Amino acid sequence: MKIIDNIHLVGSGQAGCMISYKSDSHVYLVESSAGHILIDAGVGLEVGRIIEIIEQDGLDPRHVKHLFLTHSHADHAGGAAELKKRLSLTVYIGKPEAHLLRESDLMDQGLDIAIEDGIYPSDYRFFNCDPDVEINDGDSFSIGEWTIRAIHTPGHSKGAMCYLFSGKGRTILFSGDVVVHSGKLMFLNCEGSVMADMRKSMPKLGGLGVREFYPGHGCWVCDCGQEHIDKAIEALRHLGPPPNAF
């Protein structure tokens, strides 16, 4: 589903825009002359459906060459291994969570609890993937007409990365689960999800002049994206728990 010039939603299990497996995060595709770029990979149970959607949008899946993972939680990273196998992708992930993508099992990151809660099927197993590039905070990549800067923003998970795309006169942020529409903050009752870490890291997203804002769940916006981010930063400045956390 094309959202705006060069940006497509090619996977999502969210009610209202469910186009792939029900547990998938949003999976975005950014068109690039040097190989199209995926942001996140879904849970890995209907990877063929994601490829079909790419084709339905008039794009050749063989031109998809890069996969940037915002973090290693199953709904975002479980499809990485199969996408890499089918499309010969280069897989990028934040260095603090590279080992989880490579070796994670049910006990890591609360996946066992998520299965008990019915978020994933009872027989689900995480599909491990060997990443090609382990990203550090501030790393920058030039892919075609885009410059991509990685911003390490722990809080939702230890290795959470936001990706700031600049090019074509646009400033775009893919935030994964760090912050979503209306400045809401996402925390989990599991290892790695720490409010104090988010309080320290969120100010990195201030003053970026983000126009287009694409989170891993919920609504996205094609204008005034920085306003949503700034609400989250402000909420974390106070002593009490942020009222917009969930």
Side-chain angles (χ1 to χ4, degrees):
M1 180 178 74
K2 185 174 182 178
I3 298 174
I4 196 171
D5 286 350
N6 308 115
I7 308 287
H8 301 253
L9 184 74
V10 297
S12 179
Q14 179 175 302
C17 61
M18 184 183 291
I19 55 176
S20 62
Y21 191 76
K22 62 182 181 180
S23 300
D24 286 347
S25 68
H26 292 335
V27 179
Y28 298 101
L29 182 148
V30 183
E31 294 181 52
S32 166
S33 60
H36 303 324
I37 304 159
L38 289 179
I39 308 295
D40 286 333
V43 75
L45 296 179
E46 287 187 3
V47 168
R49 179 60 183 148
I50 292 173
I51 293 173
E52 288 175 4
I53 294 166
I54 293 171
E55 293 174 329
Q56 289 168 7
D57 275 12
L59 301 171
D60 187 341
R62 293 173 299 177
H63 293 165
V64 182
K65 297 298 183 185
H66 310 274
L67 169 58
F68 283 81
L69 298 173
T70 59
H71 59 300
S72 62
H73 289 167
D75 55 333
H76 293 256
E82 187 66 16
L83 283 166
K84 182 177 182 178
K85 177 181 177 181
R86 294 197 190 191
L87 302 179
S88 299
L89 294 166
T90 298
V91 177
Y92 307 72
I93 191 169
K95 189 171 184 177
E97 291 187 14
H99 68 290
L100 293 173
L101 183 63
R102 188 180 293 114
E103 302 169 358
S104 182
D105 62 26
L106 285 182
M107 297 304 294
D108 292 320
Q109 308 185 93
L111 184 54
D112 54 337
I113 301 171
I115 291 172
E116 290 179 6
D117 287 348
I119 297 172
Y120 306 116
S122 59
D123 60 349
Y124 179 73
R125 294 297 181 269
F126 186 79
F127 303 95
N128 295 114
C129 176
D130 192 18
D132 300 288
V133 181
E134 298 184 13
I135 302 173
N136 294 299
D137 185 34
D139 283 355
S140 184
F141 305 88
S142 294
I143 300 177
E145 49 274 73
W146 302 106
T147 297
I148 305 165
R149 178 159 65 94
I151 306 172
H152 182 211
T153 44
H156 178 76
S157 70
K158 289 182 179 179
M161 289 282 178
C162 294
Y163 297 110
L164 184 70
F165 278 60
S166 302
K168 294 180 173 287
R170 297 160 70 180
T171 305
I172 303 167
L173 187 75
F174 294 93
S175 65
D177 288 353
V178 172
V179 54
V180 299
H181 188 274
S182 302
K184 292 181 179 178
L185 302 164
M186 297 181 67
F187 296 99
L188 298 175
N189 183 24
C190 68
E191 179 72 22
S193 194
V194 180
M195 187 176 295
D197 289 347
M198 189 171 284
R199 178 178 59 81
K200 295 175 183 177
S201 67
M202 275 297 295
K204 295 179 184 180
L205 302 181
L208 298 178
V210 171
R211 182 169 183 179
E212 298 172 50
F213 171 50
Y214 301 103
H217 301 274
C219 300
W220 56 81
V221 296
C222 298
D223 200 3
C224 302
Q226 190 67 48
E227 294 180 7
H228 298 261
I229 298 162
D230 289 345
K231 286 181 180 179
I233 295 170
E234 176 60 30
L236 285 162
R237 286 181 175 145
H238 306 288
L239 185 61
N244 55 345
F246 73 103

